[in-house]
Amino acid sequence: MKAGEARLQSGGTLYVVATPIGNLGDISQRALEVLATVQGIAAEDTRRTRRLLQHFGISGKLWSHFEHNEQACMAQVLTHLAAGEDIALVSDAGTPLISDPGYALVRAARAQGYRVVPIPGPNAALCALSAAGLPSDRFLFLGFPPRTGEKRRAWLRSIRQEPGTLIFYESGQRLSATLTDLQAILGASRPAVLARELTKRFETFLSGSLSELRNRVQAEPHQRKGEIVLLVGGHRGPSEEEEAHRVLQILARTLPHKQAVALAAEITGAKKNWLYRLALKQSSDSPG
Ligand code: SAM
């Protein structure tokens, strides 16, 4: 019998419990049952979670589990699981681990053979996607963009070609700068949606092109208030490689290879040696 299997029979269960992102009515029946019956709750901020529990008439044993003392809390939770206690992990709002702490704990609990059970519920990214009106068949959740301009722009360049809808979390403070970079790197006309204060009193969805959204956010400071999910339509049309191929084909009709390659590299940003190999292949493939 493997070490993990022995523990599965005697150890406790770690429940990963999603909590509301604004509207308390979104808590699930299962979440309430689990929070009321576990022997301990590892919370990101104990005061916030205590208020939530109080609202539902639940009194529980709470530990703080925030980024800075994640190691200490993890050791504590694992000790309790080893003693056969059931523990719930919650974050301040939404689903733990999603731009929130908990990954190290879940990984350690699984590695040691404990049952880890998700109690699904609210999540700001999926909540926004479900009502934004952007393609939902394929999407990429990116969490918070890097805070500093240069890092953020390099990061955005790396996802320029992603075909799925892009989902970001962003603070009101950085929203304008991020929209400016998105517009510059992904193109001003990409469709986008700003989803703000989801499930709360001032819930707002703003749709438009990236440049329209940026102008609106700059002109109306209240659009930067509260909690924000930003969604951007994925890349449509040819990939950068396909575009370079097309440009090279046109230029090579009338120019010598060397010149066609140099111009195609300048127009498309593709690497010269890659274009050169392509040009040779094109001429060897073309009839006559
Ligand atoms: N774990 C959470 C989840 O499942 O959505 C996300 C936690 S992350 C630290 C917090 C960010 O999520 C906020 O800064 C905001 O970008 C987004 N967010 C959370 N609640 C939101 C809401 N009610 N409306 C819009 N965005 C929200």
Side-chain angles (χ1 to χ4, degrees), residues 152-183:
R152 185 169 54 233
R153 286 188 284 278
W155 184 76
L156 289 176
R157 278 193 282 275
S158 74
I159 50 168
R160 196 163 39 184
Q161 299 279 313
E162 166 60 41
T165 295
L166 307 171
I167 309 178
F168 306 93
Y169 288 160
E170 190 49 295
S171 76
Q173 236 182 342
R174 282 184 290 276
L175 182 62
S176 275
T178 295
L179 280 169
T180 301
D181 287 346
L182 280 165
Q183 174 181 340

mmCIF file of all heavy atoms in Angstrom, residues 152-183:
data_model
loop_
_atom_site.group_PDB
_atom_site.id
_atom_site.type_symbol
_atom_site.label_atom_id
_atom_site.label_comp_id
_atom_site.label_asym_id
_atom_site.label_seq_id
_atom_site.Cartn_x
_atom_site.Cartn_y
_atom_site.Cartn_z
ATOM 1 N N ARG A 152 4.713 44.853 -18.508
ATOM 2 C CA ARG A 152 3.339 44.606 -18.977
ATOM 3 C C ARG A 152 3.295 44.531 -20.505
ATOM 4 O O ARG A 152 2.667 43.654 -21.084
ATOM 5 C CB ARG A 152 2.422 45.720 -18.462
ATOM 6 C CG ARG A 152 0.957 45.479 -18.794
ATOM 7 C CD ARG A 152 0.055 46.441 -18.060
ATOM 8 N NE ARG A 152 0.438 47.820 -18.285
ATOM 9 C CZ ARG A 152 0.659 48.692 -17.316
ATOM 10 N NH1 ARG A 152 0.525 48.349 -16.072
ATOM 11 N NH2 ARG A 152 1.001 49.927 -17.618
ATOM 12 N N ARG A 153 4.034 45.436 -21.156
ATOM 13 C CA ARG A 153 3.998 45.447 -22.626
ATOM 14 C C ARG A 153 4.648 44.186 -23.201
ATOM 15 O O ARG A 153 4.133 43.586 -24.144
ATOM 16 C CB ARG A 153 4.662 46.727 -23.152
ATOM 17 C CG ARG A 153 3.767 47.951 -22.931
ATOM 18 C CD ARG A 153 4.312 49.192 -23.605
ATOM 19 N NE ARG A 153 5.429 49.765 -22.892
ATOM 20 C CZ ARG A 153 5.323 50.572 -21.839
ATOM 21 N NH1 ARG A 153 4.149 50.910 -21.384
ATOM 22 N NH2 ARG A 153 6.399 51.048 -21.245
ATOM 23 N N ALA A 154 5.755 43.766 -22.603
ATOM 24 C CA ALA A 154 6.413 42.533 -23.085
ATOM 25 C C ALA A 154 5.471 41.343 -22.903
ATOM 26 O O ALA A 154 5.350 40.474 -23.778
ATOM 27 C CB ALA A 154 7.711 42.312 -22.327
ATOM 28 N N TRP A 155 4.797 41.315 -21.781
ATOM 29 C CA TRP A 155 3.860 40.231 -21.460
ATOM 30 C C TRP A 155 2.684 40.234 -22.464
ATOM 31 O O TRP A 155 2.279 39.188 -22.965
ATOM 32 C CB TRP A 155 3.384 40.480 -20.028
ATOM 33 C CG TRP A 155 2.487 39.492 -19.392
ATOM 34 C CD1 TRP A 155 2.830 38.279 -18.887
ATOM 35 C CD2 TRP A 155 1.090 39.671 -19.116
ATOM 36 N NE1 TRP A 155 1.728 37.692 -18.307
ATOM 37 C CE2 TRP A 155 0.658 38.517 -18.437
ATOM 38 C CE3 TRP A 155 0.170 40.690 -19.364
ATOM 39 C CZ2 TRP A 155 -0.652 38.348 -18.012
ATOM 40 C CZ3 TRP A 155 -1.132 40.519 -18.936
ATOM 41 C CH2 TRP A 155 -1.537 39.361 -18.281
ATOM 42 N N LEU A 156 2.198 41.424 -22.781
ATOM 43 C CA LEU A 156 1.081 41.512 -23.739
ATOM 44 C C LEU A 156 1.515 41.081 -25.135
ATOM 45 O O LEU A 156 0.748 40.445 -25.867
ATOM 46 C CB LEU A 156 0.511 42.938 -23.788
ATOM 47 C CG LEU A 156 -0.275 43.386 -22.546
ATOM 48 C CD1 LEU A 156 -0.702 44.841 -22.676
ATOM 49 C CD2 LEU A 156 -1.505 42.505 -22.340
ATOM 50 N N ARG A 157 2.769 41.406 -25.481
ATOM 51 C CA ARG A 157 3.255 40.985 -26.807
ATOM 52 C C ARG A 157 3.239 39.459 -26.913
ATOM 53 O O ARG A 157 2.968 38.908 -27.967
ATOM 54 C CB ARG A 157 4.664 41.540 -27.062
ATOM 55 C CG ARG A 157 4.641 42.999 -27.544
ATOM 56 C CD ARG A 157 5.985 43.433 -28.091
ATOM 57 N NE ARG A 157 6.925 43.732 -27.039
ATOM 58 C CZ ARG A 157 7.021 44.917 -26.411
ATOM 59 N NH1 ARG A 157 6.266 45.931 -26.780
ATOM 60 N NH2 ARG A 157 7.884 45.107 -25.445
ATOM 61 N N SER A 158 3.509 38.795 -25.782
ATOM 62 C CA SER A 158 3.577 37.322 -25.820
ATOM 63 C C SER A 158 2.198 36.682 -26.015
ATOM 64 O O SER A 158 2.109 35.500 -26.300
ATOM 65 C CB SER A 158 4.250 36.788 -24.554
ATOM 66 O OG SER A 158 3.358 36.896 -23.470
ATOM 67 N N ILE A 159 1.124 37.446 -25.838
ATOM 68 C CA ILE A 159 -0.226 36.849 -25.997
ATOM 69 C C ILE A 159 -1.003 37.480 -27.152
ATOM 70 O O ILE A 159 -2.192 37.260 -27.314
ATOM 71 C CB ILE A 159 -1.051 36.965 -24.687
ATOM 72 C CG1 ILE A 159 -1.015 38.403 -24.162
ATOM 73 C CG2 ILE A 159 -0.547 35.996 -23.639
ATOM 74 C CD1 ILE A 159 -2.017 38.660 -23.071
ATOM 75 N N ARG A 160 -0.295 38.260 -27.966
ATOM 76 C CA ARG A 160 -0.935 38.975 -29.075
ATOM 77 C C ARG A 160 -1.675 38.030 -30.030
ATOM 78 O O ARG A 160 -2.701 38.359 -30.575
ATOM 79 C CB ARG A 160 0.157 39.734 -29.828
ATOM 80 C CG ARG A 160 -0.346 40.797 -30.724
ATOM 81 C CD ARG A 160 0.715 41.764 -31.109
ATOM 82 N NE ARG A 160 2.009 41.144 -31.350
ATOM 83 C CZ ARG A 160 3.102 41.839 -31.621
ATOM 84 N NH1 ARG A 160 3.063 43.153 -31.662
ATOM 85 N NH2 ARG A 160 4.244 41.243 -31.846
ATOM 86 N N GLN A 161 -1.117 36.839 -30.220
ATOM 87 C CA GLN A 161 -1.677 35.906 -31.208
ATOM 88 C C GLN A 161 -2.698 34.940 -30.618
ATOM 89 O O GLN A 161 -3.206 34.074 -31.317
ATOM 90 C CB GLN A 161 -0.549 35.064 -31.797
ATOM 91 C CG GLN A 161 0.510 35.859 -32.521
ATOM 92 C CD GLN A 161 0.073 36.218 -33.915
ATOM 93 O OE1 GLN A 161 -0.417 35.374 -34.647
ATOM 94 N NE2 GLN A 161 0.230 37.461 -34.282
ATOM 95 N N GLU A 162 -2.983 35.046 -29.331
ATOM 96 C CA GLU A 162 -3.892 34.094 -28.690
ATOM 97 C C GLU A 162 -5.305 34.221 -29.288
ATOM 98 O O GLU A 162 -5.908 35.292 -29.254
ATOM 99 C CB GLU A 162 -3.912 34.380 -27.176
ATOM 100 C CG GLU A 162 -5.023 33.723 -26.405
ATOM 101 C CD GLU A 162 -5.015 32.200 -26.483
ATOM 102 O OE1 GLU A 162 -3.926 31.606 -26.423
ATOM 103 O OE2 GLU A 162 -6.111 31.621 -26.617
ATOM 104 N N PRO A 163 -5.860 33.125 -29.819
ATOM 105 C CA PRO A 163 -7.161 33.239 -30.474
ATOM 106 C C PRO A 163 -8.370 33.288 -29.513
ATOM 107 O O PRO A 163 -9.442 33.737 -29.880
ATOM 108 C CB PRO A 163 -7.236 31.989 -31.359
ATOM 109 C CG PRO A 163 -6.270 31.034 -30.752
ATOM 110 C CD PRO A 163 -5.239 31.817 -30.014
ATOM 111 N N GLY A 164 -8.178 32.824 -28.286
ATOM 112 C CA GLY A 164 -9.309 32.809 -27.342
ATOM 113 C C GLY A 164 -9.527 34.168 -26.700
ATOM 114 O O GLY A 164 -8.654 35.041 -26.740
ATOM 115 N N THR A 165 -10.706 34.349 -26.098
ATOM 116 C CA THR A 165 -10.992 35.587 -25.362
ATOM 117 C C THR A 165 -10.024 35.704 -24.172
ATOM 118 O O THR A 165 -9.797 34.732 -23.446
ATOM 119 C CB THR A 165 -12.459 35.561 -24.866
ATOM 120 O OG1 THR A 165 -13.316 35.577 -25.999
ATOM 121 C CG2 THR A 165 -12.776 36.755 -23.974
ATOM 122 N N LEU A 166 -9.453 36.882 -24.014
ATOM 123 C CA LEU A 166 -8.472 37.105 -22.929
ATOM 124 C C LEU A 166 -9.200 37.682 -21.715
ATOM 125 O O LEU A 166 -10.015 38.605 -21.864
ATOM 126 C CB LEU A 166 -7.407 38.094 -23.393
ATOM 127 C CG LEU A 166 -6.706 37.765 -24.711
ATOM 128 C CD1 LEU A 166 -5.822 38.934 -25.159
ATOM 129 C CD2 LEU A 166 -5.868 36.499 -24.554
ATOM 130 N N ILE A 167 -8.919 37.134 -20.548
ATOM 131 C CA ILE A 167 -9.590 37.630 -19.332
ATOM 132 C C ILE A 167 -8.526 38.096 -18.334
ATOM 133 O O ILE A 167 -7.643 37.330 -17.948
ATOM 134 C CB ILE A 167 -10.453 36.537 -18.675
ATOM 135 C CG1 ILE A 167 -11.383 35.884 -19.702
ATOM 136 C CG2 ILE A 167 -11.253 37.114 -17.516
ATOM 137 C CD1 ILE A 167 -12.231 34.762 -19.137
ATOM 138 N N PHE A 168 -8.647 39.362 -17.924
ATOM 139 C CA PHE A 168 -7.700 39.943 -16.959
ATOM 140 C C PHE A 168 -8.446 40.426 -15.722
ATOM 141 O O PHE A 168 -9.593 40.867 -15.816
ATOM 142 C CB PHE A 168 -7.030 41.201 -17.543
ATOM 143 C CG PHE A 168 -6.370 41.008 -18.868
ATOM 144 C CD1 PHE A 168 -7.056 41.267 -20.054
ATOM 145 C CD2 PHE A 168 -5.049 40.597 -18.944
ATOM 146 C CE1 PHE A 168 -6.437 41.116 -21.288
ATOM 147 C CE2 PHE A 168 -4.422 40.448 -20.178
ATOM 148 C CZ PHE A 168 -5.120 40.698 -21.345
ATOM 149 N N TYR A 169 -7.743 40.406 -14.589
ATOM 150 C CA TYR A 169 -8.177 41.168 -13.424
ATOM 151 C C TYR A 169 -7.328 42.440 -13.434
ATOM 152 O O TYR A 169 -6.145 42.401 -13.789
ATOM 153 C CB TYR A 169 -7.898 40.404 -12.118
ATOM 154 C CG TYR A 169 -8.809 39.214 -11.882
ATOM 155 C CD1 TYR A 169 -8.434 38.202 -11.004
ATOM 156 C CD2 TYR A 169 -10.047 39.106 -12.504
ATOM 157 C CE1 TYR A 169 -9.267 37.108 -10.760
ATOM 158 C CE2 TYR A 169 -10.876 38.024 -12.270
ATOM 159 C CZ TYR A 169 -10.488 37.021 -11.403
ATOM 160 O OH TYR A 169 -11.301 35.954 -11.170
ATOM 161 N N GLU A 170 -7.922 43.564 -13.040
ATOM 162 C CA GLU A 170 -7.120 44.784 -12.976
ATOM 163 C C GLU A 170 -7.676 45.722 -11.917
ATOM 164 O O GLU A 170 -8.884 45.706 -11.636
ATOM 165 C CB GLU A 170 -7.085 45.472 -14.360
ATOM 166 C CG GLU A 170 -6.108 46.607 -14.494
ATOM 167 C CD GLU A 170 -4.678 46.282 -14.001
ATOM 168 O OE1 GLU A 170 -4.503 46.047 -12.788
ATOM 169 O OE2 GLU A 170 -3.745 46.268 -14.812
ATOM 170 N N SER A 171 -6.796 46.519 -11.338
ATOM 171 C CA SER A 171 -7.258 47.496 -10.341
ATOM 172 C C SER A 171 -7.658 48.768 -11.079
ATOM 173 O O SER A 171 -7.144 49.060 -12.163
ATOM 174 C CB SER A 171 -6.131 47.801 -9.362
ATOM 175 O OG SER A 171 -5.200 48.655 -9.985
ATOM 176 N N GLY A 172 -8.564 49.531 -10.479
ATOM 177 C CA GLY A 172 -9.007 50.789 -11.070
ATOM 178 C C GLY A 172 -7.842 51.743 -11.311
ATOM 179 O O GLY A 172 -7.806 52.456 -12.307
ATOM 180 N N GLN A 173 -6.895 51.697 -10.394
ATOM 181 C CA GLN A 173 -5.719 52.578 -10.466
ATOM 182 C C GLN A 173 -4.903 52.378 -11.741
ATOM 183 O O GLN A 173 -4.375 53.315 -12.304
ATOM 184 C CB GLN A 173 -4.812 52.205 -9.309
ATOM 185 C CG GLN A 173 -4.451 53.295 -8.384
ATOM 186 C CD GLN A 173 -3.502 52.702 -7.347
ATOM 187 O OE1 GLN A 173 -3.421 51.482 -7.161
ATOM 188 N NE2 GLN A 173 -2.770 53.567 -6.698
ATOM 189 N N ARG A 174 -4.782 51.117 -12.169
ATOM 190 C CA ARG A 174 -3.935 50.826 -13.329
ATOM 191 C C ARG A 174 -4.745 50.619 -14.619
ATOM 192 O O ARG A 174 -4.174 50.364 -15.672
ATOM 193 C CB ARG A 174 -3.078 49.577 -13.057
ATOM 194 C CG ARG A 174 -1.883 49.861 -12.178
ATOM 195 C CD ARG A 174 -1.011 48.642 -12.024
ATOM 196 N NE ARG A 174 -1.682 47.642 -11.220
ATOM 197 C CZ ARG A 174 -1.672 47.624 -9.897
ATOM 198 N NH1 ARG A 174 -1.022 48.535 -9.228
ATOM 199 N NH2 ARG A 174 -2.323 46.687 -9.235
ATOM 200 N N LEU A 175 -6.063 50.735 -14.513
ATOM 201 C CA LEU A 175 -6.907 50.395 -15.661
ATOM 202 C C LEU A 175 -6.579 51.205 -16.920
ATOM 203 O O LEU A 175 -6.439 50.647 -18.010
ATOM 204 C CB LEU A 175 -8.385 50.572 -15.281
ATOM 205 C CG LEU A 175 -9.394 50.205 -16.358
ATOM 206 C CD1 LEU A 175 -9.293 48.737 -16.726
ATOM 207 C CD2 LEU A 175 -10.811 50.538 -15.895
ATOM 208 N N SER A 176 -6.430 52.534 -16.763
ATOM 209 C CA SER A 176 -6.157 53.386 -17.943
ATOM 210 C C SER A 176 -4.849 52.985 -18.616
ATOM 211 O O SER A 176 -4.786 52.857 -19.845
ATOM 212 C CB SER A 176 -6.031 54.849 -17.517
ATOM 213 O OG SER A 176 -7.286 55.409 -17.469
ATOM 214 N N ALA A 177 -3.800 52.799 -17.806
ATOM 215 C CA ALA A 177 -2.486 52.454 -18.368
ATOM 216 C C ALA A 177 -2.554 51.095 -19.064
ATOM 217 O O ALA A 177 -1.996 50.915 -20.156
ATOM 218 C CB ALA A 177 -1.443 52.430 -17.257
ATOM 219 N N THR A 178 -3.264 50.155 -18.467
ATOM 220 C CA THR A 178 -3.369 48.828 -19.083
ATOM 221 C C THR A 178 -4.155 48.899 -20.390
ATOM 222 O O THR A 178 -3.772 48.286 -21.392
ATOM 223 C CB THR A 178 -4.010 47.836 -18.084
ATOM 224 O OG1 THR A 178 -3.110 47.691 -17.001
ATOM 225 C CG2 THR A 178 -4.270 46.478 -18.703
ATOM 226 N N LEU A 179 -5.230 49.686 -20.407
ATOM 227 C CA LEU A 179 -6.013 49.816 -21.647
ATOM 228 C C LEU A 179 -5.172 50.481 -22.743
ATOM 229 O O LEU A 179 -5.254 50.104 -23.915
ATOM 230 C CB LEU A 179 -7.281 50.624 -21.388
ATOM 231 C CG LEU A 179 -8.431 49.843 -20.752
ATOM 232 C CD1 LEU A 179 -9.544 50.779 -20.286
ATOM 233 C CD2 LEU A 179 -9.008 48.805 -21.722
ATOM 234 N N THR A 180 -4.345 51.445 -22.358
ATOM 235 C CA THR A 180 -3.473 52.118 -23.337
ATOM 236 C C THR A 180 -2.507 51.103 -23.944
ATOM 237 O O THR A 180 -2.321 51.051 -25.167
ATOM 238 C CB THR A 180 -2.683 53.260 -22.651
ATOM 239 O OG1 THR A 180 -3.640 54.164 -22.107
ATOM 240 C CG2 THR A 180 -1.777 53.986 -23.628
ATOM 241 N N ASP A 181 -1.911 50.261 -23.108
ATOM 242 C CA ASP A 181 -0.973 49.246 -23.606
ATOM 243 C C ASP A 181 -1.698 48.192 -24.446
ATOM 244 O O ASP A 181 -1.191 47.749 -25.484
ATOM 245 C CB ASP A 181 -0.247 48.569 -22.442
ATOM 246 C CG ASP A 181 0.781 49.499 -21.807
ATOM 247 O OD1 ASP A 181 1.110 50.531 -22.431
ATOM 248 O OD2 ASP A 181 1.236 49.191 -20.689
ATOM 249 N N LEU A 182 -2.884 47.793 -23.998
ATOM 250 C CA LEU A 182 -3.645 46.792 -24.758
ATOM 251 C C LEU A 182 -3.950 47.309 -26.156
ATOM 252 O O LEU A 182 -3.790 46.606 -27.156
ATOM 253 C CB LEU A 182 -4.963 46.475 -24.034
ATOM 254 C CG LEU A 182 -4.878 45.512 -22.858
ATOM 255 C CD1 LEU A 182 -6.148 45.567 -22.013
ATOM 256 C CD2 LEU A 182 -4.677 44.083 -23.362
ATOM 257 N N GLN A 183 -4.360 48.577 -26.208
ATOM 258 C CA GLN A 183 -4.702 49.182 -27.494
ATOM 259 C C GLN A 183 -3.468 49.236 -28.397
ATOM 260 O O GLN A 183 -3.542 48.916 -29.587
ATOM 261 C CB GLN A 183 -5.244 50.591 -27.233
ATOM 262 C CG GLN A 183 -5.484 51.368 -28.488
ATOM 263 C CD GLN A 183 -5.999 52.766 -28.198
ATOM 264 O OE1 GLN A 183 -6.519 53.050 -27.129
ATOM 265 N NE2 GLN A 183 -5.855 53.637 -29.167
#
